[in-house]
Structures are given as C-alpha cells and as structure tokens.
Amino acid sequence: MKKRLLGVLLLSSLIGLAGCSDQQNATASVDKQVASPPVSPSVQRWYNQEQVARGNVLFQTNCASCHKSDASGTPNWKEPDAEGKYPPPPLNGTAHTWHHPLSVLHRTVQRGGIPLGGTMPGFADKLNNQQIDDILAWVQTHWSDEIYRVWYERNAQASKSIRPINGG
C-alpha cells in the first residue's frame, strides 16, 4: 500500500494540475475513503486566519473570474472545451486540487497550466510567494476536515526524501 501511495504521489507531482483528470483512476481507492470517511481526529491546518483573510481578497482579485468567487469552478470541468482544453476546476475540495502537495499547488499558481496544456496563466509576475500561500490557505478553508486530512497525509508523504530500496 505504501508503494502504491508513493507512486500516486510521485505521479501527481510530475503531472501537475493540468493532467489531473488522468489520475482519477490512480486515486480511486483514496477517493472512496474520502467518500465514506472513517472516524479520525482532525488535523491542525497549516495556515492562520490572517492568511485566510488576505487570501480571500487576493483570490477574488486574481482567481474568481475563472474559479468563481466561492471556488466552485466550472460544473463540467472534466469535459474539454472546443479547443480541447479543460475549464477551470473547482478548488473547494470537490475536484482534484486536494490530490496535490502544497509545493505543486504553489508551483501551478506561479507558472500556470499553459506549459502543461491548460489555460491557466502563471501569476509569478503578479503574486509573491506569501500571497500565493495566502490564496492557497483561503482555498483550503473550503475543504472538509476529511479532505484536508487526506491531503495533509499526502503532502507529508510527498515532502519526505525518497530513499533507495535495498541500497540500490
């Protein structure tokens, strides 16, 4: 199970947000756990209320025109448009955003999805690292405790160094 989860994490880090629709099968077992979650203690969130307040203002200014003011995104986000591009997904925990570690989410906001075949522009020239973190904090307030817990575990696993097996 650990090898499978590590494989899913590595795959999601490499693919980035633009390729998320392809990894739904790879994360189906985790999704099923989220759909009917076991009782578990909630995890302390990494952000504070000041970040959330700043993130709300920044999100409304920079992101809401595509992802909607409540982070609900496009209802048919899984279906490509006439140009073959996927529309903005929900960021509220109902789509794939929570499948990615914080580093991938941060990088996606910085660089955008265009290099990966998406339409999201990069915001590195408009937002500094703290502002991006503030936006991500606000987005994560829309995630249920169970979605956040699963994301937190994935994020922690993705942050660990990969060690060779059997000295290889």
Side-chain angles (χ1 to χ4, degrees):
M1 180 67 184
K2 285 185 179 182
K3 286 183 180 180
R4 183 169 182 239
L5 181 57
L6 181 58
V8 170
L9 289 171
L10 289 173
L11 179 62
S12 68
S13 294
L14 293 174
I15 293 174
L17 292 179
C20 290
S21 61
D22 293 337
Q23 70 176 330
Q24 288 180 353
N25 292 335
T27 59
S29 64
V30 174
D31 292 342
K32 287 178 186 173
Q33 291 174 8
V34 172
S36 37
V39 176
S40 63
S42 62
V43 175
Q44 179 72 28
R45 303 217 179 196
W46 64 267
Y47 49 82
N48 61 47
Q49 289 307 308
E50 290 80 21
Q51 287 174 289
V52 172
R54 290 189 309 260
N56 179 34
V57 172
L58 291 164
F59 185 91
Q60 300 311 322
T61 303
N62 296 284
C63 313
S65 63
C66 294
H67 291 283
K68 308 294 184 242
S69 63
D70 63 352
S72 63
T74 306
N76 61 342
W77 64 274
K78 293 180 184 179
E79 299 171 23
D81 62 18
E83 296 175 10
K85 306 286 185 180
Y86 287 92
L91 303 177
N92 60 7
T94 62
H96 59 73
T97 306
W98 63 271
H99 294 187
H100 302 288
L102 191 59
S103 61
V104 172
L105 298 175
H106 191 97
R107 185 179 66 229
T108 301
V109 175
Q110 279 183 321
R111 298 180 187 169
I114 294 170
L116 301 171
T119 58
M120 181 176 152
F123 288 87
D125 60 338
K126 293 181 180 182
L127 301 169
N128 64 37
N129 288 334
Q130 182 61 57
Q131 291 171 317
I132 293 171
D133 286 346
D134 292 347
I135 289 170
L136 295 173
W138 182 83
V139 164
Q140 288 186 343
T141 65
H142 293 78
W143 298 359
S144 69
D145 287 343
E146 184 60 20
I147 291 288
Y148 186 86
R149 185 191 62 75
V150 174
W151 171 84
Y152 182 87
E153 290 171 2
R154 288 177 170 209
N155 187 63
Q157 188 67 33
S159 300
K160 291 182 180 179
S161 297
I162 298 174
R163 288 179 267 149
I165 299 174
N166 298 328

